[in-house]
Amino acid sequence: MKLSTMGNLKPFGPLYENAQKQFLKAADLMDLDPNIGNFLLWPQRILEVHFPVVMDDGRVEIFEGYRVQHNTARGPAKGGIRYHPDTNLDEVASLAFWMTWKCAVMNLPYGGGKGGVRVDVTQLSEKELERLSRRFFSEIQVLVGPQKDIPAPDVNTNAKIMAWYMDTYSMNVGYTALGVVTGKPLDLGGSEGRPEATGRGVAITANEACKALGKDISKATVAIQGFGNVGSYSAKILSEEFGAKIVAVSDVSGGLYNENGLDINDLIAYRDANKGLIKGYPKAKPITNEELLELDVDILVPAALENAITEKNASNIKAKIIVEGANGPTTPEAEEILIKKGVLIVPDILANAGGVTVSYFEWVQDLQTFFWDIDDIRKKLTKMMVNAFAEVYKTKEKYNTDMRTAAYIVAINRVANAVKERGYYPM
């Protein structure tokens, strides 16, 4: 299948091109109708905004932001908003693309969306951060809404920022709209279990991967790259609830290794008291992020940013199972090397889908104004993650392919059917 029937359509950059390669591999294997395939290769809507923010000293700074909706055939767009100095359209469009398949593989009634602002939040005061957040959300309000596009937290955004978003939208429309964003504080329509959700999904799929390979996760060693929300909850749940031994973790300040296993609660307490960094933790040996990826462990969880595993380091990776906590941590070239080595990769669109699944739970609760307890949330999430893993693994066996391609086949089939059944309007 060719990239497009229109010669003027080009990928936004290398990350989006990688995402399209993953899609095309599955599309070719499942013999996807090229008319639908070419439609699904590209975002439906892209909004780029440049907006002013009054700084504390009276200066007016101009910031750049994006909101991308990849596809809405199955329902409203869903996806986070990130604040990062390196955020760009290639990244945001790629993440929106992946969100479509992530929602579909979990069988959620959503399409993919994503947003971002190019900003270094460490250079902003609390008030500047609030003014930036409220202005940005007002700028993208032409696209968002509880039935149109529901943002959520992502890199450097959190429940407090989601509260500002919700309040800004509500003030603009004249009524309280709890369902316009997810990942909110509990007092403002947030859901129990949301902070842990992505990490819990990683842990659940890691356990399912071990079962598929006949391994006992309670005897497994684990290395986790990234010790933010996803990485720390993954570590905590894997060790406390599944009995796995976490021997290494890392963040932007470096890595830690202890062959006897790390005390994750103690490390989290140290991190929180050390400006959010694990550097200097006295009960482990310091290692680099690069060394962590190449440790001799059973399970590797890349839970940092994109392109952590490339063709340069893939041949040195010793883990037999990789569970992608981050979005796009493995390049297509690296994946080919790993598959030939017999590594089972649980792809991002499945492994880290716990976050969007509990975001869906939050949205449902907001629309119903009826809220569930934490046991209900965890039970429902576990059931959905286990079912999704089983369907992807079954598809992997049916097509004799890898897990990522199988996940795409499951997801593409659902979205393609929605497009076909809805038709093309206006004609």
Side-chain angles (χ1 to χ4, degrees), residues 97-273:
F97 184 86
W98 282 318
M99 279 301 299
T100 293
W101 316 122
K102 188 181 299 185
C103 292
V105 83
M106 294 303 299
N107 207 14
L108 303 177
Y110 288 142
K114 208 73 177 183
V117 178
R118 190 191 295 252
V119 60
D120 183 353
V121 294
T122 65
Q123 303 302 307
L124 300 181
S125 70
E126 182 84 355
K127 282 298 181 184
E128 288 170 340
L129 180 63
E130 181 176 356
R131 288 194 289 269
L132 177 141
S133 298
R134 290 181 180 276
R135 181 61 191 240
F136 172 66
F137 210 70
S138 290
E139 293 284 346
I140 66 169
Q141 190 165 329
V142 293
L143 290 186
V144 302
Q147 305 297 337
K148 295 162 56 178
D149 186 342
I150 306 119
D154 200 88
V155 175
N156 293 323
T157 57
N158 53 28
K160 177 167 56 179
I161 291 172
M162 295 306 110
W164 291 335
Y165 286 167
M166 188 277 289
D167 181 68
T168 300
Y169 181 89
S170 297
M171 295 298 288
N172 288 346
V173 298
Y175 58 88
T176 298
L178 296 179
V180 69
V181 292
T182 57
K184 303 180 297 297
L186 286 176
D187 290 338
L188 294 174
S191 177
E192 295 279 4
R194 179 60 186 89
E196 69 174 38
T198 306
R200 181 168 292 279
V202 168
I204 292 166
T205 53
N207 185 45
E208 294 304 303
C210 285
K211 288 180 185 177
L213 297 183
K215 295 179 180 291
D216 182 350
I217 196 169
S218 68
K219 298 176 181 177
T221 54
V222 183
I224 299 176
Q225 183 198 41
F227 204 65
N229 176 276
V230 178
S232 59
Y233 273 113
S234 297
K236 181 177 173 68
I237 294 166
L238 279 166
S239 59
E240 290 182 356
E241 299 185 27
F242 292 96
K245 184 190 292 185
I246 315 301
V247 297
V249 301
S250 66
D251 65 7
V252 292
S253 67
L256 300 169
Y257 175 74
N258 185 331
E259 65 178 352
N260 297 315
L262 294 159
D263 183 333
I264 299 303
N265 287 325
D266 187 59
L267 180 56
I268 290 172
Y270 175 87
R271 177 200 66 185
D272 293 346

Side-chain angles (χ1 to χ4, degrees), residues 291-338:
E291 289 171 330
L292 178 141
L293 292 171
E294 299 175 8
L295 288 172
D296 188 5
V297 293
D298 298 304
I299 302 170
L300 173 64
V301 179
L305 293 174
E306 302 87 11
N307 297 335
I309 302 173
T310 68
E311 58 185 332
K312 294 180 180 178
N313 60 10
S315 59
N316 297 324
I317 288 175
K318 301 174 184 66
K320 293 301 181 186
I321 298 172
I322 295 176
V323 185
E324 294 184 334
N327 291 311
T330 310
T331 66
E333 295 78 13
E335 185 158 25
E336 291 299 320
I337 295 170
L338 292 165

Side-chain angles (χ1 to χ4, degrees), residues 337-403:
I337 295 170
L338 292 165
I339 290 170
K340 288 177 182 176
K341 291 175 62 176
V343 178
L344 179 67
I345 302 173
V346 185
D348 46 9
I349 64 171
L350 172 60
N352 67 31
V356 71
T357 303
V358 176
S359 280
Y360 166 64
F361 296 166
E362 180 178 334
W363 180 69
V364 169
Q365 292 169 85
D366 287 337
L367 295 182
Q368 293 179 334
T369 59
F370 180 80
F371 293 85
W372 314 335
D373 63 31
I374 186 65
D375 290 337
D376 284 339
I377 298 288
R378 289 172 176 169
K379 185 178 179 180
K380 292 176 192 297
L381 175 62
T382 298
K383 181 179 180 180
M384 291 182 70
M385 296 298 303
V386 169
N387 288 345
F389 185 96
E391 181 145 16
V392 171
Y393 200 83
K394 179 182 176 182
T395 304
K396 169 186 177 295
E397 300 291 287
K398 176 182 177 181
Y399 284 89
N400 190 29
T401 188
D402 57 274
M403 285 289 284

